[in-house]
Structures are given as structure tokens and as C-alpha cells.
Coordinates of all heavy atoms in Angstrom, one line a residue:
M29 N -141.9 -162.5 -130.6 CA -142.6 -162.5 -129.3 C -143.7 -161.4 -129.4 O -143.4 -160.3 -129.7 CB -141.7 -162.2 -128.1 CG -140.7 -163.2 -127.9 SD -140.8 -163.6 -126.2 CE -139.2 -164.1 -125.8
S30 N -144.9 -161.8 -129.0 CA -146.0 -160.9 -129.1 C -146.2 -160.2 -127.8 O -147.0 -159.3 -127.7 CB -147.3 -161.6 -129.5 OG -147.6 -162.6 -128.5
G31 N -145.5 -160.6 -126.7 CA -145.6 -159.9 -125.4 C -146.8 -160.4 -124.6 O -147.2 -159.8 -123.6
E32 N -147.4 -161.5 -125.0 CA -148.5 -162.1 -124.2 C -148.0 -162.6 -122.9 O -146.9 -163.2 -122.8 CB -149.2 -163.2 -125.0 CG -149.8 -162.8 -126.3 CD -150.5 -163.9 -127.0 OE1 -150.8 -164.9 -126.3 OE2 -150.7 -163.8 -128.2
K33 N -148.8 -162.5 -121.9 CA -148.5 -163.1 -120.6 C -149.2 -164.4 -120.4 O -150.5 -164.4 -120.5 CB -148.8 -162.1 -119.5 CG -147.9 -160.9 -119.5 CD -148.1 -160.1 -118.2 CE -147.1 -158.9 -118.2 NZ -147.2 -158.3 -116.9
N34 N -148.5 -165.4 -120.2 CA -149.1 -166.7 -120.0 C -149.1 -167.1 -118.5 O -149.4 -168.2 -118.2 CB -148.4 -167.8 -120.8 CG -148.5 -167.6 -122.3 OD1 -149.6 -167.2 -122.7 ND2 -147.5 -167.8 -123.0
S35 N -148.7 -166.2 -117.6 CA -148.6 -166.6 -116.2 C -150.0 -166.7 -115.6 O -151.0 -166.1 -116.0 CB -147.8 -165.5 -115.5 OG -148.4 -164.3 -115.5
D36 N -150.0 -167.6 -114.6 CA -151.3 -167.9 -113.9 C -151.0 -167.7 -112.4 O -150.4 -168.5 -111.8 CB -151.7 -169.3 -114.2 CG -153.1 -169.6 -113.7 OD1 -153.7 -168.8 -112.9 OD2 -153.7 -170.6 -114.1
W37 N -151.5 -166.6 -111.9 CA -151.2 -166.2 -110.5 C -151.8 -167.2 -109.5 O -151.2 -167.5 -108.5 CB -151.8 -164.8 -110.2 CG -151.0 -163.8 -110.8 CD1 -151.2 -163.1 -112.0 CD2 -149.7 -163.3 -110.4 NE1 -150.2 -162.2 -112.3 CE2 -149.3 -162.3 -111.3 CE3 -148.9 -163.6 -109.3 CZ2 -148.0 -161.7 -111.1 CZ3 -147.7 -162.9 -109.1 CH2 -147.3 -162.0 -110.0
L38 N -152.9 -167.8 -109.8 CA -153.5 -168.8 -108.9 C -152.6 -170.0 -108.7 O -152.3 -170.5 -107.6 CB -154.9 -169.2 -109.3 CG -155.6 -170.3 -108.5 CD1 -155.8 -169.8 -107.1 CD2 -156.9 -170.7 -109.1
L39 N -152.1 -170.5 -109.9 CA -151.2 -171.6 -109.8 C -149.9 -171.3 -109.1 O -149.3 -172.1 -108.3 CB -150.9 -172.2 -111.2 CG -152.0 -172.8 -111.9 CD1 -151.6 -173.3 -113.3 CD2 -152.5 -174.0 -111.1
L40 N -149.4 -170.1 -109.3 CA -148.1 -169.7 -108.6 C -148.4 -169.6 -107.1 O -147.5 -170.0 -106.3 CB -147.7 -168.3 -109.2 CG -146.3 -167.9 -108.8 CD1 -145.2 -168.9 -109.2 CD2 -146.0 -166.5 -109.4
I41 N -149.5 -169.1 -106.7 CA -149.8 -169.0 -105.3 C -150.0 -170.4 -104.7 O -149.5 -170.6 -103.6 CB -151.1 -168.1 -105.1 CG1 -150.8 -166.6 -105.4 CG2 -151.6 -168.2 -103.7 CD1 -152.0 -165.8 -105.5
I42 N -150.6 -171.3 -105.4 CA -150.7 -172.7 -104.9 C -149.4 -173.3 -104.8 O -149.1 -173.9 -103.7 CB -151.6 -173.5 -105.9 CG1 -153.1 -173.1 -105.8 CG2 -151.4 -175.0 -105.7 CD1 -153.9 -173.7 -106.9
A43 N -148.5 -173.1 -105.7 CA -147.1 -173.7 -105.7 C -146.3 -173.1 -104.5 O -145.7 -173.8 -103.8 CB -146.4 -173.4 -107.0
L44 N -146.4 -171.8 -104.3 CA -145.7 -171.2 -103.2 C -146.3 -171.6 -101.8 O -145.5 -171.9 -100.9 CB -145.8 -169.6 -103.3 CG -145.0 -169.0 -104.4 CD1 -145.3 -167.5 -104.6 CD2 -143.5 -169.2 -104.1
S45 N -147.6 -171.8 -101.8 CA -148.2 -172.3 -100.5 C -147.8 -173.7 -100.2 O -147.5 -174.1 -99.1 CB -149.7 -172.3 -100.6 OG -150.2 -171.0 -100.9
I46 N -147.7 -174.6 -101.2 CA -147.2 -175.9 -101.1 C -145.8 -175.9 -100.6 O -145.4 -176.7 -99.7 CB -147.4 -176.8 -102.3 CG1 -148.9 -177.0 -102.6 CG2 -146.7 -178.1 -102.2 CD1 -149.2 -177.5 -104.0
M47 N -145.0 -175.1 -101.2 CA -143.6 -175.0 -100.9 C -143.4 -174.6 -99.4 O -142.6 -175.2 -98.7 CB -142.8 -174.0 -101.8 CG -141.4 -173.9 -101.5 SD -140.6 -172.6 -102.4 CE -141.3 -171.2 -101.6
L48 N -144.2 -173.6 -99.0 CA -144.1 -173.2 -97.6 C -144.6 -174.2 -96.6 O -144.0 -174.4 -95.6 CB -144.9 -171.9 -97.4 CG -144.3 -170.6 -98.0 CD1 -145.3 -169.5 -97.9 CD2 -143.0 -170.3 -97.4
L49 N -145.6 -175.0 -97.0 CA -146.1 -176.1 -96.1 C -145.0 -177.1 -96.0 O -144.7 -177.6 -94.8 CB -147.3 -176.7 -96.7 CG -147.8 -178.0 -96.0 CD1 -148.4 -177.7 -94.7 CD2 -148.8 -178.7 -96.9
I50 N -144.4 -177.5 -97.1 CA -143.3 -178.6 -97.0 C -142.1 -178.1 -96.2 O -141.6 -178.9 -95.4 CB -143.0 -179.1 -98.4 CG1 -144.1 -179.8 -99.1 CG2 -141.7 -180.0 -98.4 CD1 -143.9 -180.1 -100.5
V51 N -141.7 -176.9 -96.4 CA -140.5 -176.4 -95.7 C -140.8 -176.1 -94.3 O -140.0 -176.4 -93.4 CB -140.0 -175.2 -96.5 CG1 -138.9 -174.5 -95.7 CG2 -139.4 -175.6 -97.9
A52 N -141.9 -175.5 -94.0 CA -142.2 -175.0 -92.7 C -142.7 -176.1 -91.7 O -142.4 -176.0 -90.5 CB -143.2 -173.8 -92.7
Y53 N -143.4 -177.0 -92.2 CA -144.0 -178.1 -91.3 C -144.0 -179.4 -92.0 O -145.0 -180.0 -92.3 CB -145.4 -177.7 -91.0 CG -145.9 -178.4 -89.7 CD1 -145.3 -178.2 -88.5 CD2 -146.9 -179.3 -89.9 CE1 -145.8 -178.9 -87.4 CE2 -147.4 -180.0 -88.8 CZ -146.8 -179.8 -87.5 OH -147.2 -180.5 -86.4
P54 N -142.8 -180.0 -92.1 CA -142.7 -181.4 -92.7 C -143.3 -182.5 -91.9 O -143.6 -183.5 -92.5 CB -141.2 -181.6 -92.9 CG -140.5 -180.6 -92.1 CD -141.5 -179.5 -91.8
P55 N -143.5 -182.4 -90.6 CA -144.1 -183.5 -89.9 C -145.6 -183.8 -90.4 O -146.1 -184.9 -90.0 CB -144.2 -183.1 -88.4 CG -143.1 -182.1 -88.3 CD -143.0 -181.4 -89.7
V56 N -146.1 -183.0 -91.2 CA -147.5 -183.3 -91.7 C -147.5 -184.6 -92.5 O -148.5 -185.3 -92.5 CB -147.9 -182.1 -92.6 CG1 -149.2 -182.5 -93.4 CG2 -148.2 -180.9 -91.8
F57 N -146.4 -184.9 -93.1 CA -146.3 -186.1 -94.0 C -145.8 -187.4 -93.2 O -145.6 -188.4 -93.9 CB -145.4 -185.8 -95.1 CG -145.8 -184.6 -95.9 CD1 -145.2 -183.4 -95.8 CD2 -147.0 -184.7 -96.7 CE1 -145.6 -182.3 -96.4 CE2 -147.4 -183.6 -97.4 CZ -146.8 -182.4 -97.3
I58 N -145.8 -187.3 -91.9 CA -145.4 -188.5 -91.2 C -146.6 -189.1 -90.5 O -147.4 -188.4 -89.9 CB -144.3 -188.1 -90.1 CG1 -143.1 -187.5 -90.7 CG2 -144.0 -189.3 -89.2 CD1 -142.1 -187.0 -89.8
N59 N -146.8 -190.4 -90.7 CA -147.9 -191.1 -90.2 C -147.7 -191.5 -88.7 O -146.7 -191.1 -88.1 CB -148.3 -192.3 -91.0 CG -147.2 -193.4 -91.0 OD1 -146.3 -193.3 -90.2 ND2 -147.3 -194.4 -91.9
A60 N -148.7 -192.1 -88.1 CA -148.7 -192.5 -86.7 C -147.5 -193.4 -86.3 O -147.1 -193.4 -85.2 CB -150.0 -193.1 -86.3
L61 N -147.0 -194.1 -87.3 CA -145.9 -195.0 -87.0 C -144.5 -194.4 -87.2 O -143.5 -195.0 -87.0 CB -146.0 -196.3 -88.0 CG -147.2 -197.1 -87.8 CD1 -147.2 -198.2 -88.9 CD2 -147.3 -197.7 -86.5
G62 N -144.5 -193.1 -87.5 CA -143.3 -192.4 -87.7 C -142.7 -192.5 -89.1 O -141.5 -192.2 -89.3
R63 N -143.4 -193.0 -90.0 CA -142.9 -193.2 -91.4 C -143.5 -192.1 -92.3 O -144.6 -191.6 -92.1 CB -143.3 -194.6 -91.9 CG -142.6 -195.7 -91.1 CD -142.8 -197.0 -91.8 NE -142.1 -198.0 -91.1 CZ -142.6 -199.1 -90.6 NH1 -143.9 -199.4 -90.9 NH2 -141.9 -200.0 -90.0
V64 N -142.7 -191.8 -93.3 CA -143.2 -190.8 -94.3 C -144.2 -191.4 -95.2 O -144.1 -192.5 -95.7 CB -142.0 -190.3 -95.1 CG1 -142.4 -189.3 -96.2 CG2 -140.9 -189.7 -94.3
Q65 N -145.3 -190.6 -95.5 CA -146.3 -191.0 -96.4 C -145.9 -190.6 -97.8 O -146.0 -189.4 -98.1 CB -147.6 -190.4 -96.0 CG -148.1 -190.9 -94.7 CD -149.4 -190.1 -94.3 OE1 -149.6 -189.0 -94.7 NE2 -150.2 -190.8 -93.4
Y66 N -145.4 -191.5 -98.6 CA -144.8 -191.1 -99.9 C -145.8 -190.7 -101.0 O -145.6 -189.8 -101.8 CB -143.9 -192.2 -100.4 CG -142.6 -192.3 -99.6 CD1 -142.4 -193.4 -98.7 CD2 -141.6 -191.3 -99.7 CE1 -141.3 -193.5 -98.0 CE2 -140.5 -191.4 -98.9 CZ -140.3 -192.5 -98.1 OH -139.2 -192.6 -97.3
A67 N -146.9 -191.4 -101.0 CA -147.9 -191.2 -102.1 C -148.5 -189.7 -102.0 O -148.5 -189.0 -103.0 CB -149.0 -192.2 -102.1
P68 N -149.0 -189.3 -100.9 CA -149.4 -187.9 -100.8 C -148.3 -186.9 -101.0 O -148.6 -185.9 -101.7 CB -150.0 -187.8 -99.4 CG -150.2 -189.1 -98.9 CD -149.2 -190.0 -99.6
L69 N -147.1 -187.2 -100.6 CA -146.0 -186.2 -100.7 C -145.7 -186.1 -102.2 O -145.4 -185.0 -102.7 CB -144.8 -186.7 -99.9 CG -143.6 -185.8 -100.0 CD1 -143.9 -184.4 -99.5 CD2 -142.5 -186.4 -99.2
L70 N -145.7 -187.3 -102.9 CA -145.4 -187.2 -104.4 C -146.4 -186.4 -105.1 O -146.1 -185.6 -106.0 CB -145.3 -188.7 -104.9 CG -145.1 -188.8 -106.4 CD1 -143.7 -188.3 -106.8 CD2 -145.3 -190.2 -106.8
L71 N -147.7 -186.6 -104.8 CA -148.7 -185.9 -105.4 C -148.6 -184.4 -105.2 O -148.8 -183.5 -106.1 CB -150.1 -186.4 -105.0 CG -150.5 -187.7 -105.5 CD1 -151.8 -188.2 -104.8 CD2 -150.8 -187.7 -107.0
L72 N -148.3 -184.0 -103.9 CA -148.1 -182.6 -103.6 C -146.9 -182.0 -104.3 O -147.0 -180.9 -104.8 CB -148.0 -182.5 -102.1 CG -148.3 -181.1 -101.5 CD1 -149.8 -180.8 -101.9 CD2 -148.1 -181.1 -100.0
L73 N -145.8 -182.7 -104.4 CA -144.6 -182.2 -105.1 C -144.9 -182.1 -106.6 O -144.4 -181.2 -107.3 CB -143.4 -183.1 -104.9 CG -142.8 -183.1 -103.5 CD1 -141.8 -184.2 -103.3 CD2 -142.3 -181.7 -103.2
W74 N -145.7 -183.0 -107.2 CA -146.1 -182.9 -108.6 C -147.0 -181.6 -108.8 O -146.8 -180.9 -109.8 CB -146.9 -184.1 -109.0 CG -147.3 -184.2 -110.4 CD1 -147.0 -183.3 -111.4 CD2 -148.0 -185.3 -111.0 NE1 -147.6 -183.8 -112.6 CE2 -148.2 -185.0 -112.4 CE3 -148.5 -186.5 -110.5 CZ2 -148.9 -185.8 -113.2 CZ3 -149.2 -187.3 -111.4 CH2 -149.4 -187.0 -112.7
A75 N -147.9 -181.4 -107.9 CA -148.8 -180.2 -108.0 C -148.0 -179.0 -107.9 O -148.2 -178.0 -108.6 CB -149.9 -180.3 -107.0
M76 N -147.0 -179.0 -107.0 CA -146.1 -177.8 -106.8 C -145.3 -177.6 -108.1 O -145.2 -176.4 -108.5 CB -145.2 -178.0 -105.6 CG -144.3 -176.8 -105.3 SD -143.1 -177.1 -104.0 CE -142.0 -178.2 -104.8
S77 N -144.7 -178.6 -108.7 CA -143.9 -178.5 -109.9 C -144.8 -177.9 -111.0 O -144.4 -177.0 -111.7 CB -143.4 -179.8 -110.3 OG -142.5 -180.3 -109.3
A78 N -146.0 -178.5 -111.2 CA -146.9 -178.0 -112.3 C -147.3 -176.5 -112.0 O -147.4 -175.7 -112.9 CB -148.1 -178.9 -112.4
G79 N -147.5 -176.2 -110.7 CA -147.9 -174.9 -110.4 C -146.8 -173.9 -110.7 O -147.1 -172.8 -111.2
F80 N -145.6 -174.2 -110.4 CA -144.5 -173.3 -110.7 C -144.3 -173.1 -112.2 O -144.1 -172.0 -112.7 CB -143.2 -173.8 -110.0 CG -143.0 -173.3 -108.6 CD1 -142.7 -174.3 -107.6 CD2 -143.1 -172.0 -108.2 CE1 -142.5 -173.9 -106.3 CE2 -143.0 -171.6 -106.9 CZ -142.7 -172.5 -106.0
V81 N -144.3 -174.3 -112.9 CA -144.1 -174.2 -114.3 C -145.1 -173.3 -115.0 O -144.8 -172.4 -115.8 CB -144.0 -175.6 -114.9 CG1 -144.0 -175.6 -116.5 CG2 -142.7 -176.3 -114.5
R82 N -146.4 -173.6 -114.8 CA -147.4 -172.9 -115.4 C -147.7 -171.5 -114.7 O -148.1 -170.6 -115.4 CB -148.7 -173.6 -115.4 CG -148.7 -174.8 -116.4 CD -148.5 -174.3 -117.8 NE -148.4 -175.3 -118.8 CZ -149.3 -175.5 -119.7 NH1 -150.3 -174.8 -119.9 NH2 -149.1 -176.5 -120.6
G83 N -147.3 -171.4 -113.5 CA -147.5 -170.1 -112.8 C -146.6 -169.0 -113.3 O -147.0 -167.9 -113.2
I84 N -145.4 -169.4 -113.7 CA -144.5 -168.3 -114.2 C -144.8 -168.1 -115.7 O -144.2 -167.2 -116.3 CB -143.1 -168.7 -114.0 CG1 -142.7 -170.0 -114.7 CG2 -142.8 -168.7 -112.5 CD1 -141.2 -170.2 -114.7
G85 N -145.6 -169.0 -116.3 CA -146.0 -168.7 -117.7 C -145.2 -169.6 -118.7 O -145.3 -169.4 -119.9
F86 N -144.5 -170.6 -118.3 CA -143.7 -171.4 -119.2 C -144.7 -172.5 -119.7 O -145.3 -173.2 -118.9 CB -142.5 -172.0 -118.5 CG -141.7 -173.0 -119.3 CD1 -140.9 -172.4 -120.3 CD2 -141.8 -174.3 -119.2 CE1 -140.2 -173.3 -121.1 CE2 -141.0 -175.2 -119.9 CZ -140.2 -174.6 -120.9
I87 N -144.7 -172.7 -121.0 CA -145.4 -173.8 -121.6 C -144.4 -174.7 -122.4 O -143.8 -174.3 -123.3 CB -146.5 -173.3 -122.6 CG1 -147.5 -172.4 -121.8 CG2 -147.2 -174.4 -123.3 CD1 -148.5 -171.7 -122.7
P88 N -144.2 -175.9 -121.9 CA -143.3 -176.8 -122.5 C -143.7 -177.2 -123.9 O -144.9 -177.2 -124.3 CB -143.3 -178.1 -121.6 CG -143.9 -177.6 -120.3 CD -144.8 -176.5 -120.6
R89 N -142.7 -177.5 -124.8 CA -143.0 -177.8 -126.2 C -143.4 -179.2 -126.4 O -144.2 -179.5 -127.2 CB -141.7 -177.5 -127.0 CG -141.4 -176.1 -127.1 CD -140.2 -175.9 -128.0 NE -139.9 -174.4 -128.1 CZ -138.9 -174.0 -128.7 NH1 -138.1 -174.8 -129.3 NH2 -138.6 -172.7 -128.7
Q90 N -142.8 -180.2 -125.6 CA -143.1 -181.6 -125.8 C -144.5 -181.9 -125.2 O -144.8 -181.4 -124.1 CB -142.1 -182.5 -125.1 CG -140.7 -182.3 -125.8 CD -139.7 -183.3 -125.2 OE1 -140.0 -183.9 -124.2 NE2 -138.5 -183.3 -125.8
L91 N -145.3 -182.7 -125.9 CA -146.6 -182.9 -125.5 C -146.7 -183.6 -124.1 O -147.5 -183.2 -123.3 CB -147.3 -183.8 -126.6 CG -148.8 -184.1 -126.3 CD1 -149.6 -182.9 -126.2 CD2 -149.3 -185.1 -127.3
L92 N -145.9 -184.6 -123.9 CA -146.0 -185.4 -122.6 C -145.6 -184.5 -121.5 O -146.3 -184.4 -120.4 CB -145.0 -186.6 -122.7 CG -145.0 -187.4 -121.4 CD1 -146.4 -188.0 -121.2 CD2 -144.0 -188.5 -121.5
V93 N -144.6 -183.7 -121.6 CA -144.2 -182.7 -120.5 C -145.3 -181.7 -120.3 O -145.6 -181.3 -119.2 CB -142.8 -182.1 -120.8 CG1 -142.4 -181.1 -119.7 CG2 -141.8 -183.2 -121.0
R94 N -145.9 -181.2 -121.4 CA -146.9 -180.2 -121.4 C -148.1 -180.7 -120.6 O -148.8 -180.0 -119.8 CB -147.3 -179.8 -122.8 CG -148.2 -178.6 -122.8 CD -148.6 -178.1 -124.1 NE -147.5 -178.3 -125.1 CZ -147.8 -178.7 -126.4 NH1 -149.0 -178.9 -126.8 NH2 -146.8 -178.8 -127.2
L95 N -148.5 -182.0 -120.8 CA -149.6 -182.6 -120.1 C -149.3 -182.9 -118.7 O -150.1 -182.6 -117.8 CB -150.0 -184.0 -120.8 CG -150.6 -183.8 -122.2 CD1 -150.8 -185.2 -122.8 CD2 -151.9 -183.1 -122.2
V96 N -148.1 -183.4 -118.4 CA -147.7 -183.7 -117.0 C -147.6 -182.4 -116.1 O -147.9 -182.4 -115.0 CB -146.4 -184.4 -117.0 CG1 -145.8 -184.5 -115.6 CG2 -146.6 -185.8 -117.5
L97 N -147.2 -181.3 -116.8 CA -147.1 -180.0 -116.0 C -148.1 -179.0 -116.4 O -147.9 -177.8 -116.4 CB -145.7 -179.4 -116.3 CG -144.5 -180.3 -115.8 CD1 -143.2 -179.7 -116.2 CD2 -144.6 -180.5 -114.3
S98 N -149.3 -179.5 -116.8 CA -150.4 -178.6 -117.2 C -151.2 -178.1 -116.0 O -151.0 -178.5 -114.8 CB -151.4 -179.4 -118.1 OG -152.0 -180.4 -117.4
R99 N -152.0 -177.1 -116.3 CA -152.9 -176.5 -115.3 C -153.8 -177.6 -114.6 O -154.0 -177.6 -113.4 CB -153.7 -175.4 -115.9 CG -154.6 -174.6 -115.0 CD -155.2 -173.5 -115.8 NE -154.3 -172.5 -116.2 CZ -154.0 -172.1 -117.4 NH1 -154.5 -172.7 -118.4 NH2 -153.0 -171.2 -117.6
M100 N -154.4 -178.4 -115.5 CA -155.3 -179.5 -115.0 C -154.6 -180.5 -114.2 O -155.1 -181.1 -113.3 CB -156.0 -180.1 -116.2 CG -157.0 -179.2 -116.9 SD -158.2 -178.4 -115.7 CE -159.1 -179.8 -115.1
A101 N -153.3 -180.8 -114.6 CA -152.5 -181.8 -113.8 C -152.3 -181.2 -112.4 O -152.4 -182.0 -111.4 CB -151.2 -182.1 -114.5
C102 N -152.1 -179.9 -112.3 CA -151.9 -179.3 -110.9 C -153.1 -179.4 -110.1 O -153.1 -179.9 -109.0 CB -151.5 -177.9 -111.1 SG -151.2 -177.0 -109.5
Y103 N -154.3 -179.1 -110.7 CA -155.5 -179.2 -110.0 C -155.9 -180.6 -109.6 O -156.3 -180.9 -108.5 CB -156.7 -178.5 -110.8 CG -156.5 -177.1 -111.0 CD1 -156.9 -176.5 -112.2 CD2 -156.0 -176.2 -110.0 CE1 -156.8 -175.1 -112.4 CE2 -155.9 -174.9 -110.2 CZ -156.3 -174.3 -111.4 OH -156.1 -173.0 -111.6
F104 N -155.7 -181.5 -110.6 CA -156.0 -182.9 -110.3 C -155.2 -183.6 -109.2 O -155.7 -184.2 -108.4 CB -155.9 -183.7 -111.6 CG -156.1 -185.2 -111.5 CD1 -157.4 -185.7 -111.3 CD2 -155.1 -186.1 -111.5 CE1 -157.7 -187.0 -111.2 CE2 -155.3 -187.4 -111.3 CZ -156.6 -187.9 -111.2
T105 N -153.8 -183.3 -109.3 CA -153.0 -183.9 -108.3 C -153.2 -183.3 -106.9 O -153.2 -183.9 -105.9 CB -151.5 -183.7 -108.6 OG1 -151.2 -182.4 -108.9 CG2 -151.1 -184.6 -109.8
L106 N -153.6 -182.0 -106.9 CA -153.9 -181.3 -105.6 C -155.2 -181.9 -105.0 O -155.3 -182.2 -103.8 CB -154.0 -179.8 -105.8 CG -154.1 -179.0 -104.5 CD1 -152.9 -179.2 -103.6 CD2 -154.2 -177.5 -104.9
A107 N -156.2 -182.1 -105.9 CA -157.4 -182.7 -105.4 C -157.2 -184.1 -104.9 O -157.8 -184.5 -103.9 CB -158.5 -182.6 -106.5
T108 N -156.4 -184.9 -105.7 CA -156.1 -186.3 -105.3 C -155.4 -186.3 -103.9 O -155.6 -187.1 -103.1 CB -155.4 -187.0 -106.4 OG1 -156.1 -186.8 -107.6 CG2 -155.2 -188.5 -106.0
F109 N -154.4 -185.4 -103.8 CA -153.7 -185.3 -102.5 C -154.7 -185.0 -101.4 O -154.6 -185.7 -100.3 CB -152.7 -184.2 -102.5 CG -152.2 -183.7 -101.2 CD1 -151.3 -184.5 -100.5 CD2 -152.7 -182.6 -100.6 CE1 -150.8 -184.2 -99.2 CE2 -152.2 -182.2 -99.3 CZ -151.3 -183.0 -98.6
I110 N -155.6 -184.1 -101.5 CA -156.5 -183.7 -100.5 C -157.4 -184.9 -100.2 O -157.6 -185.2 -99.0 CB -157.4 -182.5 -100.9 CG1 -156.5 -181.3 -100.9 CG2 -158.6 -182.3 -100.0 CD1 -157.2 -180.1 -101.6
E111 N -157.8 -185.6 -101.2 CA -158.7 -186.8 -101.0 C -157.9 -187.9 -100.2 O -158.4 -188.4 -99.2 CB -159.2 -187.3 -102.3 CG -160.3 -188.4 -102.2 CD -159.8 -189.7 -102.3 OE1 -158.8 -189.9 -103.1 OE2 -160.3 -190.7 -101.7
I112 N -156.7 -188.2 -100.7 CA -155.9 -189.3 -100.0 C -155.5 -188.9 -98.6 O -155.7 -189.6 -97.7 CB -154.7 -189.6 -100.9 CG1 -155.1 -190.4 -102.1 CG2 -153.7 -190.5 -100.1 CD1 -154.0 -190.6 -103.1
F113 N -155.0 -187.7 -98.5 CA -154.4 -187.3 -97.2 C -155.5 -187.1 -96.1 O -155.4 -187.6 -95.1 CB -153.6 -186.0 -97.4 CG -152.8 -185.6 -96.2 CD1 -151.6 -186.3 -95.9 CD2 -153.2 -184.6 -95.4 CE1 -150.9 -186.0 -94.8 CE2 -152.4 -184.2 -94.3 CZ -151.3 -184.9 -94.0
F114 N -156.5 -186.3 -96.4 CA -157.4 -185.9 -95.4 C -158.5 -187.0 -95.2 O -158.9 -187.2 -94.1 CB -158.1 -184.6 -95.8 CG -157.2 -183.4 -95.6 CD1 -156.7 -182.7 -96.7 CD2 -156.7 -183.1 -94.4 CE1 -155.9 -181.7 -96.6 CE2 -155.8 -182.0 -94.2 CZ -155.4 -181.3 -95.3
I115 N -159.0 -187.7 -96.2 CA -160.0 -188.7 -96.1 C -159.4 -189.9 -95.3 O -160.0 -190.4 -94.3 CB -160.5 -189.2 -97.4 CG1 -161.2 -188.0 -98.2 CG2 -161.4 -190.4 -97.2 CD1 -162.4 -187.4 -97.4
H116 N -158.2 -190.3 -95.6 CA -157.5 -191.4 -94.9 C -157.1 -191.0 -93.4 O -157.2 -191.8 -92.5 CB -156.3 -191.9 -95.6 CG -156.7 -192.6 -96.8 ND1 -157.3 -193.9 -96.8 CD2 -156.5 -192.3 -98.1 CE1 -157.5 -194.3 -98.1 NE2 -157.1 -193.4 -98.9
R117 N -156.8 -189.7 -93.3 CA -156.4 -189.3 -91.9 C -157.7 -189.2 -91.0 O -157.7 -189.5 -89.9 CB -155.8 -187.9 -92.0 CG -155.2 -187.5 -90.7 CD -154.3 -186.3 -90.8 NE -153.0 -186.9 -91.2 CZ -151.8 -186.4 -90.7 NH1 -151.9 -185.4 -89.9 NH2 -150.7 -186.9 -91.1
L118 N -158.8 -188.8 -91.6 CA -160.1 -188.7 -90.9 C -160.6 -190.1 -90.6 O -161.3 -190.3 -89.6 CB -161.1 -187.9 -91.6 CG -160.9 -186.4 -91.7 CD1 -161.9 -185.7 -92.6 CD2 -160.9 -185.8 -90.4
A119 N -160.3 -191.1 -91.5 CA -160.8 -192.4 -91.3 C -160.1 -193.1 -90.1 O -160.6 -194.0 -89.5 CB -160.6 -193.3 -92.5
N120 N -158.9 -192.6 -89.8 CA -158.1 -193.2 -88.7 C -158.6 -192.7 -87.3 O -158.1 -193.2 -86.3 CB -156.6 -193.0 -88.9 CG -156.1 -193.7 -90.1 OD1 -156.6 -194.8 -90.4 ND2 -155.0 -193.2 -90.7
Y121 N -159.4 -191.7 -87.3 CA -159.8 -191.1 -86.0 C -161.2 -191.7 -85.6 O -162.0 -192.2 -86.2 CB -160.0 -189.6 -86.0 CG -158.6 -188.9 -86.1 CD1 -158.2 -188.2 -87.2 CD2 -157.7 -189.1 -85.0 CE1 -157.0 -187.6 -87.2 CE2 -156.5 -188.5 -85.0 CZ -156.1 -187.7 -86.1 OH -154.9 -187.1 -86.1

């Protein structure tokens, strides 16, 4: 071990923020009909998982897992969540 730090504080803060949002205010993911919106929730959970994995500095060995839990996957799923969740919510008003 060379003692290098691979942690990414921004991703860890994103993951903790997502976790607090889901735990503190779950009604955000319920639509007007009272049903859970699964697609945005899945994207947000994926971004949270990738944020925690890369935020603490863990880099998976397997290529597929490394890609799914990468820094770019976190940013991409978070951006897609924002686009799906907020754009569709604004379109309903």
C-alpha cells in the first residue's frame, strides 16, 4: 500500500445528502395519485450507492462493477434523476 487517498469528498457529500433526503422526507417520491415513482427513486439510489462507494475511496476490481459504481455513473444518474423528476413535475403544473 502506498498510502494514496482515493476518497472523493464531493461524492460522499452527495451520497449523504441523498440519504438524508430519502430518510427525512420520503413523500417527495410519491406522485399525485399516491403511488411511488420508481424510476427516479432507482436513479437516486444508484447515485447514492456510487457516491458512497467512490466517496470512501473504494475502487472495485471487476470492470462492470467499477463502471456501474464510478464517479461518472454517480453524476450521470443524478443528472438524469434531476431531469426526470423536476422536468416532469414542472410539466404537470
